[in-house]
Amino acid sequence: MARCFKTLAAGVVFVVLLVQAPVLWATDADPLQDFCVADLDGEVTVNGYPCKPAASVGDEFLFSSRLTKAGDVTANPNGSNVTELDVAEWPGVNTLGVSMNRVDFAVGGTNPPHIHPRATEVGMVLRGELLLGIIGSLDSGNRYYSKVVRAGETFVIPRGLMHFQYNVGKEEATMVVSFNSQNPGIVFVPLTLFGSNPPIPTPVLAKALRVDAGVVELLKSKFTGGY
Ligand SMILES: *[C@@H]1O[C@H](CO)[C@@H](O)[C@H](O)[C@H]1NC(C)=O
Ligand SMILES: *[C@@H]1O[C@H](CO)[C@@H](O)[C@H](O)[C@H]1NC(C)=O
């Protein structure tokens, strides 16, 4: 009887592992060739982009100068500017499971609370002082983890956790980050709640946020048009 129970328990564990496998091993797929420079105009839909013919690419797909320049931090209300360097801007990273961003911050500027659904992020502050906040899931009791990160210091943001940066220094700040995905994706929390297209019905947000409809309408008015 005990033996039968053990076999059954082992079976259950095996099935659970099998069911979870896609979750446990979910990162960008492994490449099946040295490189696959993205054909951004390709019409075939795959998990990524189709490859340009290897003979048609030179050396330049391995390099990018895009992050040498600071973004203009005065051009939007956040006081920050994200220069993206994912597969859309750097076709050479297609299928390689990596990408980067540079983010510049005005004094008091913020990269608003957001989530990368497909990647863990590691980064380094190049100049200035950034308050970095990460909020754990319900598992952690919604714990708020934070630190003022300074030039040369590094950080890691676990995949899927909400986080933000805020320039608490007296000068502009800059950070460079990398992702374990060629296309990490970004879900801005304020925009997702108040600037979705079409909008989330106001009664839903009023109930969920425990405020009057007028407060929700005010917040929605701040995010029409994406900023
Ligand atoms: C970010 O900076 C670039 C380069 O200065 C500028 O062209 C762009 O409009 C800025 N983007 C936003 C959203 O502020
Ligand atoms: C500013 O933040 C909002 C979300 O709060 C986001 O939708 C928008 O893209 C951000 N703008 C820039 C230029 O980073």
Side-chain angles (χ1 to χ4, degrees), residues 75-78 80-82 110-113 188-192 223 226-227:
N76 68 77
N78 300 332
S80 70
N81 190 316
V82 182
T110 186
N111 190 10
F188 277 113
V189 176
L191 186 69
T192 304
F223 292 94
Y227 284 175

Side-chain angles (χ1 to χ4, degrees), residues 89-117:
E89 293 83 23
W90 196 0
V93 302
N94 192 38
T95 74
L96 299 183
V98 292
S99 59
M100 300 178 75
N101 275 352
R102 167 184 179 143
V103 191
D104 295 285
F105 297 84
V107 175
T110 186
N111 190 10
H114 63 279
I115 291 161
H116 302 289

